[in-house]
Amino acid sequence: MDQTAPPTAVAPASDPPIVEAEAAVASERVLDPSEAALIASAMASNHAAVEELWRAHRRWIAGVLMAHKPAWADVEDLLQEVALSLVRKVHELRDPAAFRPWLRTVAINAAHAAGRSGARRRRALRPARGPDGMPVEDAPDRAPQHDDHAASNESGRSLLELARTLPEGYGEPLILKAVHNLSYREIGAIMGLPETTIETRIARGRKQLRALAASLATNQSRREHPATRQGPLP
Amino acid sequence: MNPSTPHTPQTPAPPREALDLADLLISRVVDGQASPRDWSALDALAGQHPLLWKELAMAQAQDRQLRAELAPVAHAAESIALPTLDHHDPHQPFTTETGSDAVVGRVGPGLGGEPGAGRGVGQFEEPSRRLGAWGGWAAAAVLALAFIAVRPEPMPRGADQSASLSGSIQSAADAFNLYLEKGKRDGTVLEELPQRYLLRTEPAPDGNGYDVVYLRQIVERTRVQGLYREAIDERGQPAPAPVIIPAPAARPL
């Protein structure tokens, strides 16, 4: 062993690409008979059934909205839009087993539409100007914003804000688990993915969240306590 | 190597497979899904990499924090009620369960929602429209509940009460077929829809094939004295409003 060799940095392990090879399993949509009956009744325009479905599912819909909406969009406004779409379009469904994935798609579309309309609104407005007369850039759509209810870590960003920055496919199952304590199977039924895939994504999402929080804490610590320089100045 | 730079011994990184397994086990513990075997496996991994316990503690703390941050969101969701559509909207669904005048269905274009439509509730054009309007046995089950106080009357047209029942009942299938046959004779059963929904599949306990649970849909017809839809009265309270549907032109079912 070479005693004079410098320490070798250990390259961080990168997550392997997610391979959803079990698409056939995802297509096997299994429904509880009572839920199937309720959805079928809602498809037949029974308003009481639609109401019961909304009460049973609105919480996880809020989780989907939180995972996909721009930071500035109001989740209650988006929930209202999703509820309206449910009332207007549930009768167009052809398969009760498609209800949860369909409702998730409605929520994601509402979140993305809010982002697009907000971006158009900002472009149409005259940009604000700073004290020096130069235009001030608007913050990007998904810029983290503080929430009165959110506990901030040392960097000032909430854990929810960090979870929303996770790569596509990791943040949403994590948020769904936390907002409604859904099982892996229920999350899989919503996202159209196998149970094992959901479990893996949640595990990796948590790992990335820990790494993010630790990295931010380290950066914050360095800013607050810069290392004392030793040796001659350059 | 610069002699003034101290040499730091490197701790070998855990194998990548062990990292992935550890993350999975930690996640299961956080979710309360870890089996005794999972705990043993985590304990064995942590024996080689003690920092895993710190990872677990951090994961549990973050899970609690994330749930706390999402609690107001969940609470806000519970306060969002389902909107009701404008009662003048021809596509508004309606449901009433008032005594003997009860029906579940929807008044819309081509189904008696406009004057001169020429059709009424109960007259169908094609299987897809039937499915969309009635939703199978689930809607029929609701109908049954709605008519608890009323004994449905068989349709007077085409009824043949004197027709004898054919065959003997040896099984549930026999009884079901008899129900279809009798119902079609007296006009209360129109048809069984061909589309069936798969609810659950599982291997048969005896290993011979699979047990399949599925939804069958029967279209039935009954007569009510009046039709109502949900509306809002002058006090802003829900109230049934009568629906007038023009008499349809004679047409075969």
Side-chain angles (χ1 to χ4, degrees):
Chain A
M1 182 176 169
D2 184 1
Q3 297 293 334
T4 61
T8 307
V10 178
S14 59
D15 288 322
I18 296 173
V19 177
E20 268 94 42
E22 302 92 339
V25 177
S27 67
E28 181 190 324
R29 294 165 175 160
V30 175
L31 266 186
D32 178 78
S34 60
E35 185 177 7
L38 185 64
I39 295 172
S41 186
M43 287 163 58
S45 304
N46 183 322
H47 194 66
V50 180
E51 274 189 342
E52 190 173 338
L53 281 175
W54 175 246
R55 281 193 295 270
H57 294 278
R58 56 191 172 185
R59 200 160 168 166
W60 69 255
I61 292 169
V64 172
L65 291 170
M66 289 302 296
H68 292 275
K69 74 174 185 71
W72 49 263
D74 185 80
V75 70
E76 295 184 34
D77 288 344
L78 294 177
L79 277 167
Q80 295 276 10
E81 290 184 30
V82 175
L84 196 56
S85 294
L86 172 63
V87 171
R88 284 180 170 164
K89 297 182 182 178
V90 67
H91 60 276
E92 296 175 4
L93 272 179
R94 290 292 175 258
D95 179 7
F99 177 74
R100 292 190 191 208
W102 169 76
L103 201 53
R104 171 180 176 260
T105 301
V106 170
I108 292 175
N109 289 343
H112 290 174
R116 287 191 297 272
S117 65
R120 281 196 296 271
R121 200 159 41 239
R122 284 198 295 276
R123 283 197 296 271
L125 292 173
R126 208 169 55 179
R129 297 194 178 268
D132 56 357
M134 297 299 292
V136 177
E137 290 293 331
D138 284 328
D141 283 353
R142 290 182 64 83
Q145 294 183 4
H146 294 294
D147 182 357
D148 290 340
H149 302 287
S152 299
N153 57 27
E154 292 179 0
S155 70
R157 299 177 68 181
S158 74
L159 206 59
L160 180 57
E161 290 170 357
L162 293 181
R164 280 161 45 81
T165 66
L166 291 177
E168 182 81 22
Y170 287 107
E172 184 180 343
L174 200 57
I175 291 174
L176 286 176
K177 194 82 178 81
V179 77
H180 204 16
N181 200 27
L182 297 174
S183 66
Y184 301 148
R185 185 175 184 177
E186 288 171 322
I187 297 174
I190 291 168
M191 297 184 68
L193 294 171
E195 193 173 334
T196 51
T197 301
I198 296 300
E199 184 184 29
T200 301
R201 289 196 181 186
I202 288 176
R204 288 181 181 161
R206 282 175 169 146
K207 175 185 175 181
Q208 294 181 20
L209 203 57
R210 292 196 297 276
L212 262 177
S215 172
L216 287 172
T218 300
N219 292 340
Q220 179 71 13
S221 178
R222 285 176 180 167
R223 281 195 294 272
E224 292 175 353
H225 306 286
T228 304
R229 194 173 188 86
Q230 292 183 349
L233 292 171
Chain B
M1 175 178 159
N2 188 334
S4 65
T5 305
H7 172 68
T8 308
Q10 290 295 316
T11 304
R16 184 167 153 217
E17 295 75 17
L19 272 177
D20 288 345
L21 177 61
D23 296 327
L24 196 63
L25 294 173
I26 286 172
S27 189
R28 285 180 185 171
V29 170
V30 170
D31 290 333
Q33 299 294 317
S35 65
R37 190 174 174 181
D38 290 336
W39 275 105
S40 299
L42 184 61
D43 191 35
L45 283 172
Q48 301 171 0
H49 311 289
L51 287 179
L52 283 179
W53 293 124
K54 184 178 178 183
E55 291 281 314
L56 173 60
M58 196 181 309
Q60 288 174 320
Q62 286 189 341
D63 183 67
R64 282 193 299 272
Q65 183 180 342
L66 195 56
R67 288 172 188 272
E69 292 180 18
L70 283 166
V73 175
H75 182 71
E78 300 290 339
S79 69
I80 304 297
L82 194 73
T84 52
L85 296 179
D86 186 346
H87 64 278
H88 294 297
D89 188 331
H91 294 284
Q92 180 191 14
F94 68 94
T95 302
T96 64
E97 296 182 358
T98 54
S100 61
D101 301 327
V103 65
V104 174
R106 178 173 53 155
V107 178
L111 290 176
E114 313 104 356
R119 297 190 192 121
V121 174
Q123 298 201 7
F124 307 105
E125 203 167 42
E126 55 191 354
S128 60
R129 185 179 291 263
R130 290 168 183 158
L131 180 61
W134 295 97
W137 70 263
V142 177
L143 269 173
L145 289 174
F147 286 105
I148 257 182
V150 177
R151 185 175 57 191
E153 301 170 11
M155 297 300 299
R157 179 166 56 93
D160 184 4
Q161 301 297 329
S162 64
S164 60
L165 301 176
S166 57
S168 60
I169 299 175
Q170 302 293 330
S171 65
D174 290 341
F176 182 71
N177 291 332
L178 196 59
Y179 148 76
L180 290 178
E181 180 185 340
K182 174 64 176 166
K184 286 177 181 175
R185 285 185 190 173
D186 63 20
T188 56
V189 174
L190 299 183
E191 65 174 325
E192 179 184 3
L193 296 181
Q195 189 171 3
R196 299 178 180 183
Y197 294 119
L198 178 67
L199 300 181
R200 186 173 70 248
T201 59
E202 54 195 14
D206 59 4
N208 184 21
Y210 298 90
D211 284 339
V212 178
V213 178
Y214 59 95
L215 186 69
R216 297 176 78 166
Q217 303 175 88
I218 312 299
V219 182
E220 291 188 347
R221 180 170 63 182
T222 190
R223 174 162 297 177
V224 297
Q225 297 307 310
L227 295 176
Y228 293 84
R229 64 176 175 83
E230 280 185 353
I232 306 295
D233 64 15
E234 59 276 7
R235 294 186 300 274
Q237 299 299 318
V243 174
I244 308 300
I245 297 177
R251 48 183 289 157
L253 292 173

